[in-house]
Amino acid sequence: MTLLEIFPSLRDGGMVPRLDPTIWPRDTHYDGEGRITVGNVALADIADQYGTPTYVLDEGEVRGRCQDYRKRFPDAEIIYAGKALLTRAVAEWVTEEGLSLDVCSAGELAVALSSWADPARIMLHGNGKPFGELETAINCGVGRIVVDSLTEITLLSALASRPQRVLLRVTPDIDVHGHPAVRTGVTDQKFGFPIGGDAVREAADRILRQPNLQLVGLHCHIGSQIGETFPYGEAVRRMIGEMSRLRDELGVELTELDLGGGHAVAYRSGDPAMDLAELSDIVGDSLDAACIRYGFPQPKIALEPGRAIVARAGVTLYRVLSIKHVEGGHTYVTVDGGMSDNPRVALYGARYDAVVANRHPTGEHMTVTIAGRHCEAGDILAHDVRLPVDLRPGEVLAMPCTGAYHHSLASSYNGIGRPPIVAVRDGRSRELVRRETIDDLLCRDIGH
Ligand code: LLP
């Protein structure tokens, strides 16, 4: 008996979901058999070949997003924030597309360097950089370090044997009202020095007094998933004001302004996303206006998008394990992954969509909750998803817009190894990161 025969009320009509180009990679289609393809590879074939869950990454989409940024911001430096997703191949693609790289740990630095990224184009971030990491960064010649505390200035000046370029991180007191976990522009928090205060001047002054440190600019990062452009215009105005104050008070004319990342992507159809053309206009106009107002020469602008480069390039594949309808409640579709490969739902209340990838269902659909397999009731991957009423265990579900902060936030919770990353391009697939196996889990456990 089918689920529909047991529970006729599941038949709730409605539209068959379509593949919305704002949340899927641009090269997504249905093939002749009705299966979804990305980069000309059928997702169902990937599930068969590499198993599930699997993160699929469309190389063309990553490169395309880098090109979009280069085109929209021809005079700016685009620095990819590797925390969103960093593998050797991703580092290679973005650097080939002319982007610089932002890393925030020795681990990310090692991945970037092993992809032969030019150390001079790497920027090191972090509010807490251990001594050893600063030493490694300086020894390998990273181009710039973003200073986030007075202690760091002391450490850097002790470590640098040749002039090290640094930026100073400033909080511009802009509240974008995002999720509290990613609200980084407000004053009272762990990142940066509050704008307009004595601390910025004191930090800048200390750097300027170190002969082996070269203060080149200011940095701010106002938050994440920001869909509106005006906070960036405001950030430009305030930061140019701060650069002008430092010129007046310390006699230094800084030449770089890094505006951080945070550009929103659509996770589900209809979600707001950052409009790059509008962002480019507002940054350019605010820069012109602020530089005229303060009589300050235009600094070089840098942007640090992470999510906006890789989110839409990623599609996660799961297999359906079971379908359960709770009378008077929800219909739960349990899949073979969960909060270990996507903790973003539990962490930030993120919302996703999913579709059947192994066939094009045209019949009736039902509204379901997609549940993970972890031992927590909160392990839900998506709410209110439309799936066919004749869905069967073993079918492949594809969840779009899962390229950013999925692999990088993944864990092996409940002893479930992290999924592989499989890249697709021109009809071919290749593994970039292999699946974490039970042997991998056992080999770190060395005590008896
Ligand atoms: N620059 C700095 C200094 C950052 O801290 C970040 C992100 C970025 C750039 C890139 O931001 P994006 O363009 O990707 O929004 N785990 C959270 C996001 C944390 C963002 C941390 N910093 C999530 O999954 O939504």
Side-chain angles (χ1 to χ4, degrees), residues 56-315:
V56 178
L57 192 65
D58 182 10
E59 178 177 344
E61 180 67 30
V62 175
R63 289 183 182 273
R65 289 298 287 165
C66 296
Q67 291 157 13
D68 293 345
Y69 269 92
R70 297 287 314 279
K71 194 171 123 224
R72 292 293 179 196
F73 300 92
D75 301 324
E77 180 180 7
I78 309 297
I79 308 175
Y80 170 61
K83 50 183 77 63
L85 172 65
L86 198 64
T87 74
R88 292 175 188 188
V90 171
E92 246 168 59
W93 303 341
V94 300
T95 51
E96 277 170 16
E97 295 300 334
L99 274 55
S100 308
L101 269 176
D102 142 10
V103 299
C104 64
S105 69
E108 285 188 359
L109 179 59
V111 175
L113 292 175
S114 70
S115 77
W116 305 111
D118 176 3
R121 301 206 56 185
I122 296 178
M123 181 181 264
L124 179 68
H125 270 289
N127 67 305
K129 306 179 191 73
F131 182 81
E133 293 200 355
L134 286 172
E135 193 174 28
T136 307
I138 282 182
N139 289 344
C140 75
V142 300
R144 282 155 297 174
I145 296 177
V146 180
V147 169
D148 210 314
S149 71
L150 296 178
T151 311
E152 212 175 282
I153 299 169
T154 312
L155 294 179
L156 283 173
S157 64
L159 282 165
S161 54
R162 53 178 182 267
Q164 174 65 52
R165 289 187 298 153
V166 300
L167 285 87
L168 197 56
R169 182 158 178 172
V170 171
T171 45
D173 196 21
I174 294 175
D175 189 355
V176 289
H177 301 292
H179 191 283
V182 294
R183 211 183 286 163
T184 46
V186 294
T187 301
D188 185 6
Q189 62 155 304
K190 67 173 191 167
F191 290 109
F193 297 91
I195 197 163
D198 292 343
V200 175
R201 196 190 47 235
E202 170 66 18
D205 190 40
R206 283 202 200 181
I207 296 169
L208 292 169
R209 282 191 275 113
Q210 307 303 324
N212 53 356
L213 299 184
Q214 193 188 347
L215 181 61
V216 293
L218 296 187
H219 171 280
C220 67
H221 171 71
I222 56 180
S224 250
Q225 264 305 77
I226 303 169
E228 283 162 328
T229 52
F230 66 86
Y232 289 94
E234 189 55 34
V236 169
R237 282 189 286 280
R238 293 186 187 198
M239 295 295 281
I240 296 289
E242 191 69 344
M243 288 165 105
S244 141
R245 177 175 80 107
L246 292 180
R247 178 183 59 184
D248 296 347
E249 295 181 4
L250 301 173
V252 60
E253 206 162 71
L254 303 177
T255 55
E256 293 186 24
L257 173 55
D258 185 331
L259 295 171
H263 314 153
V265 301
Y267 280 94
R268 290 185 70 134
S269 292
D271 284 356
M274 175 57 76
D275 179 333
L276 292 188
E278 209 180 281
L279 181 65
S280 167
D281 286 348
I282 201 155
V283 167
D285 292 350
S286 316
L287 191 63
D288 289 345
C291 288
I292 289 170
R293 175 168 170 211
Y294 292 102
F296 199 84
Q298 292 225 352
K300 185 162 169 75
I301 294 291
L303 299 173
E304 297 174 344
R307 186 189 323 264
I309 299 286
V310 288
R312 200 170 52 187
V315 176

Side-chain angles (χ1 to χ4, degrees), residues 377-396:
D379 175 29
I380 298 297
L381 285 169
H383 301 273
D384 301 327
V385 173
R386 307 277 304 152
L387 288 178
V389 288
D390 60 354
L391 185 73
R392 300 271 175 189
E395 292 206 271
V396 179

Side-chain angles (χ1 to χ4, degrees), residues 339-360:
M339 65 196 301
S340 58
D341 63 77
N342 178 8
R344 298 195 68 260
V345 183
L347 280 174
Y348 317 112
R351 290 169 53 76
Y352 291 88
D353 202 354
V355 295
V356 176
N358 50 288
R359 63 185 164 109
H360 189 183

